[in-house]
Amino acid sequence: MSEKILILDFGSQYTQLIARRVRELNIYSEIVPYNKIPPITDGVKAIILSGSPFSVTDEKALKVDLDFLVNQRPVLAICYGAQMIANHFGGQVQRSQKREYGKASLSEVVASDPLFHEIPNDSQVWMSHGDSIMAVPEKFEITAATEDIPVAAFKSKTDQFKYPIHCLQFHPEVTHSLHGKQLLKNFLINIAGCEGTWTPAAFVEDTVEKLRNKIGDDKVLMALSGGVDSTVGAALLHRAIGDNLYCFFVDNGLLRKGEFEQVLASYEGMGLNITGVDAKQRFWDALAGESDPEKKRKIIGRMFIDVFDESAAKFENIKWLGQGTIYPDVIESVSVHGPSVTIKSHHNVGGLPDHMNLKIVEPLRMLFKDEVRRVGNQMDLPKNIIGRHPFPGPGLAIRILGDITPEKVQILQEADDIFISGLKQFGLYDEVWQAGVILLPVQSVGVMGDERTYENAVALRAVTSVDGMTAEWSKLPYDFMAFVSSKIINNVKGINRVVYDISTKPPATIEWE
């Protein structure tokens, strides 16, 4: 990357949003744990310190070497980061009598400060903190306040440090801060000197060149799913190494109805060497009797690796395994030593058994889902694949709550097919980020004809999102919901009740497991 912004993660729920907002300005950003800071190379243009659920007044507060960092590049410190700066350099920070959370309006904005260029004095911002900065250090000056907070923003005085330091008590990365994107642009372009050249076309060109240099004449084996991530990843690899890419698609018995045949057909004409592998029974046998969601994920991951191993053995001189890992997979699988926890494991994040002796290549590892789609469009890949809803790696296994059986899979496949086909029939598919049906481990009483029934309940899940890190439940029309509910109950034997999930992420996740 020609230019990069490092975002130090202290465990804030908003850290990923900072990265997203920076990338929306066509500037590459990378999140790194606060305690695992990489070398500050020439391409790094600035450093952003994120918020945190911790307090700088705690004995075990998370700390970094600020004396070092502030003399490396321009710094933008947000919330906890600002409190660290104030506390470290001699200011006063104390616990607030009450948590300051919600909308506020800036006042006393220093208009000459380049950070506040084209930002009005009464701009709405979003507060979310438990500490308050009561006084700034001597080498700093206040640049904005609010009605309730005397220090909403402050910066280092001219020539006090090698690079400028700008600190914010509010969160510019959230949409509730109405001029937050302008503020970030002011910092990145006007203060840090970024050019904003990180575009899909630039990513494709840069990635293909790096893949050629990295892989050379070696052969790569890659599993495809029919989804946007693996497809775009394979397209990048194919553009880089051509026929040295060998692809296969595994039927793990946890796919949607007819998906195995549809996926294989969709790759016709794309020039990819792809082989279908029927492994349904092996996955079902391995999952038999297991109800714990994390154990189910790990079993599926292990089974995929076994299939990879066997598939690789059928080809000569395979050196690499290609994967469609994307940035949310990485973020949700890495803990930041205390402030955050691993949300869930992903079978496509991490290493492989030593005996496989394959190296991993992940062309999309640092992209969010919407960025992957833009890259796919840049490469003119089929619209039906690029526009396809995300589908979890473990498939229907994490949409069947409880143990997995072939009978449960078939019931869920039929219900899911009705739901997804209905979204397309009603013109709603492209308005939804992700949708699916959840088979619940409960049964309920119903009446069908003149008979009492005691059968399964299912939950419909549909969300709107940009990158999958946060999501809102989709407000689907009532007539559509009635149509789908009736069709599922009337046509899928074993289901007599349909409910709709109206949870947001956070606090819920998109999938139930």
Side-chain angles (χ1 to χ4, degrees), residues 233-303:
L236 287 165
L237 282 164
H238 186 258
R239 185 170 292 191
I241 64 173
D243 290 340
N244 278 342
L245 173 65
Y246 296 85
C247 301
F248 64 99
F249 176 49
V250 178
D251 186 352
N252 61 3
L254 303 166
L255 303 174
R256 285 174 157 159
K257 182 180 179 180
E259 190 170 20
F260 186 60
E261 296 76 17
Q262 292 167 11
V263 165
L264 290 177
S266 69
Y267 287 116
E268 290 182 6
M270 286 186 62
L272 301 178
N273 298 322
I274 185 166
T275 302
V277 180
D278 185 352
K280 292 193 296 292
Q281 195 61 51
R282 292 178 58 184
F283 277 81
W284 290 339
D285 291 344
L287 287 164
E290 184 55 67
S291 297
D292 182 84
E294 187 66 9
K295 290 180 180 178
K296 286 195 289 187
R297 285 179 178 272
K298 290 181 178 179
I299 289 170
I300 293 167
R302 186 181 70 244
M303 292 302 299

Side-chain angles (χ1 to χ4, degrees), residues 416-435:
D416 180 82
D417 183 60
I418 291 172
F419 187 30
I420 299 303
S421 298
L423 286 170
K424 294 176 179 177
Q425 178 181 337
F426 278 69
L428 298 169
Y429 187 83
D430 291 337
E431 296 180 15
V432 172
W433 160 268
Q434 185 170 338

Side-chain angles (χ1 to χ4, degrees), residues 314-507:
K314 297 177 182 179
F315 300 92
E316 294 184 357
N317 301 318
I318 295 290
K319 299 289 183 67
W320 298 83
L321 182 67
Q323 292 189 336
T325 309
I326 62 174
Y327 209 18
D329 298 338
V330 177
I331 293 170
E332 292 187 341
S333 299
V334 176
S335 173
V336 186
H337 188 63
S340 63
V341 296
T342 301
I343 297 173
K344 57 189 175 183
S345 63
H346 291 261
H347 67 265
N348 61 337
V349 177
L352 295 170
D354 293 337
H355 73 271
M356 283 193 70
N357 198 31
L358 290 178
K359 295 176 284 187
I360 294 177
V361 57
E362 300 167 311
L364 308 173
R365 184 179 177 86
M366 303 310 292
L367 294 188
F368 288 98
K369 176 75 73 172
D370 57 315
E371 294 169 337
V372 175
R373 285 201 171 100
R374 286 200 290 270
V375 168
N377 287 325
Q378 177 66 38
M379 300 179 73
D380 293 324
L381 297 183
K383 300 297 182 184
N384 66 310
I385 294 179
I386 300 305
R388 185 174 182 257
H389 286 178
F391 189 65
L396 299 183
I398 58 172
R399 293 181 180 177
I400 297 174
L401 275 58
D403 65 320
I404 308 299
T405 67
E407 293 74 23
K408 289 181 180 179
V409 171
Q410 183 177 8
I411 289 173
L412 185 55
Q413 284 178 332
E414 295 296 333
D416 180 82
D417 183 60
I418 291 172
F419 187 30
I420 299 303
S421 298
L423 286 170
K424 294 176 179 177
Q425 178 181 337
F426 278 69
L428 298 169
Y429 187 83
D430 291 337
E431 296 180 15
V432 172
W433 160 268
Q434 185 170 338
V437 179
I438 314 298
L439 183 61
L440 303 179
V442 295
Q443 291 182 312
S444 67
V445 173
V447 177
M448 301 184 81
D450 294 325
E451 297 183 358
R452 177 182 184 274
T453 63
Y454 192 61
E455 295 182 334
N456 296 289
V458 295
L460 308 183
R461 179 69 158 150
V463 298
T464 56
S465 181
V466 174
D467 51 37
M469 298 306 299
T470 60
E472 292 283 343
W473 60 278
S474 300
K475 280 69 172 178
L476 299 176
Y478 289 152
D479 59 342
F480 166 75
M481 301 294 286
F483 167 82
V484 169
S485 174
S486 177
K487 192 167 184 178
I488 289 175
I489 292 172
N490 290 336
N491 290 275
V492 183
K493 185 177 176 58
I495 296 175
N496 69 353
R497 189 175 299 272
V498 176
V499 299
Y500 189 51
D501 180 353
I502 58 170
S503 309
T504 61
K505 177 186 179 182

Side-chain angles (χ1 to χ4, degrees), residues 24 40 43 60 102 113-114 131 133 166 176 189 219 259 268 322 387 398 418-419 426 440 476 507:
E24 287 171 4
I40 311 299
K60 296 183 179 180
D113 183 352
D131 286 348
I133 299 167
H166 288 265
H176 295 301
I189 304 295
K219 294 180 180 179
E259 190 170 20
E268 290 182 6
I398 58 172
I418 291 172
F419 187 30
F426 278 69
L440 303 179
L476 299 176

